[in-house]
Amino acid sequence: MESENQTCVSEFILLGVSEDVLLQPLLFGLFLSMYPVTFIGNLLIILAIIMDSHLHTPMYFFLSNLSSADICFISTTIPKMLLNIQTQSKVITYAGCIAQLYFFMLFGDLDNFLLTVMAYDRFVAICHPLHYTIIMNPRLCGLLLLASWIMTALHSLLQSLMVLRLSFCEELEIPHFFCELNQLIHLARSDTFLNDLVMYFATGLVAIVPLTGILFSYSKIVTSIFRISSAGGKYKAFSTCGSHLSVVSLFYGTGLGVYLSSAAAQNSRASAIASVMYTVVTPMLNPFIYSLKNKDIKQALKKLFSQETFST
């Protein structure tokens, strides 16, 4: 009997967002402009938080880690896609595909868990303001970050190892611009029942548990805000979590949109186009949301740019 973990493929073909030759220069220019905007925008958020001592709080500690995760998240897919368009080669090696799958899931899941931790931080700040510094101490913040890394690393490793047990020999074209888990499983020659089971159960768990935590935190936050008598107090309480709520809505909204659009269209190419929203657009917009909606970040960015101007 042939061993199921053996594979006779050394590379895959990434078909990209579109196979239209005339669209390739447009796609290259579009993603080439979006990638540095995302990279620089998130990097500025990180630098602003590091340089401003007033932002050395749990909320901005997690925000800087979210920005770092966004930089890594978009860097797992876009540079390879740009290289493929530039060189007119759609090939990705088997090892490269598995590595891309692992890191894509790692940083995507990390975004998810960090948003949950940030929701908990806002819950403590609004619902238990007098005990905030005691509860959200540096040790707990470090443990929450470490737990997020461990859970995401284990989930990514599990899914990657499950793909390694599959055999691939034919139909090596992936109708996507990166090695997406579901597409890889569909290409497998061997039995994928266990892979499907693990994929839906583990991915559902990783998505539902953090979302439940976020919804619970915000239900308590909303209840606490309504108990505040003054309109000014309500506005101040809501403004502290407005940016995070916008990012959460964008993250889960685009993710749900991708799922619904791919399920309705039953078209892998439509799914690839929709995936651009949460793989590229969401990380790109996050810095703008925080810089426009958050007064502290705006002031820190102004201070950062003024220091750069003065030094030059």
Side-chain angles (χ1 to χ4, degrees):
M1 183 180 295
E2 184 180 4
S3 177
E4 192 176 34
N5 64 359
Q6 290 181 348
T7 181
C8 55
V9 62
S10 60
E11 58 189 29
F12 292 98
I13 306 297
L14 294 174
L15 297 181
V17 177
S18 173
E19 292 185 84
D20 190 339
V21 178
L22 297 177
L23 283 178
Q24 299 309 305
L26 176 62
L27 291 173
F28 182 81
L30 178 64
F31 287 102
L32 183 62
S33 61
M34 293 173 77
Y35 180 69
V37 168
T38 305
F39 193 99
I40 294 171
N42 282 286
L43 184 61
L44 286 175
I45 295 291
I46 297 169
L47 292 175
I49 292 172
I50 292 173
M51 298 295 290
D52 193 335
S53 59
H54 295 95
L55 300 184
H56 293 176
T57 63
M59 173 182 169
Y60 296 109
F61 169 72
F62 293 123
L63 175 58
S64 63
N65 279 276
L66 180 68
S67 294
S68 300
D70 279 340
I71 290 174
C72 297
F73 183 54
I74 194 173
S75 297
T76 60
T77 56
I78 301 306
K80 177 59 179 174
M81 184 180 70
L82 291 173
L83 179 64
N84 285 358
I85 295 175
Q86 180 65 21
T87 60
Q88 298 183 353
S89 171
K90 300 178 179 181
V91 172
I92 184 170
T93 63
Y94 178 79
C97 189
I98 299 299
Q100 187 184 62
L101 171 69
Y102 174 81
F103 286 109
F104 177 82
M105 297 190 67
L106 174 69
F107 294 114
D109 289 346
L110 186 59
D111 263 10
N112 195 16
F113 279 99
L114 285 174
L115 288 173
T116 307
V117 171
M118 292 170 74
Y120 175 72
D121 172 77
R122 293 298 84 205
F123 159 72
V124 176
I126 293 173
C127 299
H128 305 283
L130 297 179
H131 300 93
Y132 178 74
T133 55
I134 299 174
I135 297 173
M136 298 302 296
N137 56 73
R139 182 173 179 273
L140 179 63
C141 292
L143 287 175
L144 289 172
L145 180 62
L146 180 62
S148 299
W149 271 101
I150 290 173
M151 286 185 286
T152 55
L154 289 176
H155 177 241
S156 303
L157 182 62
L158 171 64
Q159 298 290 8
S160 300
L161 291 176
M162 290 299 295
V163 171
L164 286 174
R165 63 181 288 274
L166 298 176
S167 298
F168 302 91
C169 276
E170 298 176 354
E171 298 294 330
L172 304 179
E173 294 183 342
I174 301 176
H176 222 297
F177 62 93
F178 65 93
C179 292
E180 198 261 340
L181 177 62
N182 193 42
Q183 298 294 338
L184 282 173
I185 292 176
H186 285 166
L187 290 179
R189 184 188 64 173
S190 49
D191 179 47
T192 61
F193 173 76
L194 185 59
N195 288 77
D196 287 326
L197 185 65
V198 171
M199 178 181 68
Y200 289 116
F201 178 76
T203 304
L205 204 62
V206 167
I208 292 173
V209 171
L211 180 59
T212 303
I214 291 173
L215 292 176
F216 174 79
S217 296
Y218 272 102
S219 67
K220 295 294 185 180
I221 288 171
V222 171
T223 303
S224 296
I225 290 176
F226 279 135
R227 290 175 181 169
I228 300 174
S229 57
S230 66
K234 289 181 179 180
Y235 175 78
K236 184 178 180 180
F238 181 76
S239 64
T240 61
C241 57
S243 300
H244 177 259
L245 188 58
S246 300
V247 171
V248 168
S249 302
L250 183 64
F251 182 83
Y252 282 100
T254 53
L256 183 61
V258 169
Y259 174 79
L260 293 177
S261 63
S262 60
Q266 293 295 321
N267 186 322
S268 300
R269 186 50 53 81
S271 175
I273 296 172
S275 296
V276 173
M277 286 300 296
Y278 77 90
T279 57
V280 183
V281 176
T282 299
M284 182 181 70
L285 292 180
N286 285 352
F288 292 99
I289 292 173
Y290 273 100
S291 60
L292 292 174
K293 287 182 170 288
N294 190 295
K295 184 177 67 175
D296 294 333
I297 290 293
K298 280 194 287 188
Q299 291 177 348
L301 287 172
K302 288 179 181 178
K303 187 184 296 184
L304 179 65
F305 283 123
S306 64
Q307 288 177 350
E308 290 295 326
T309 304
F310 181 77
S311 63
T312 54

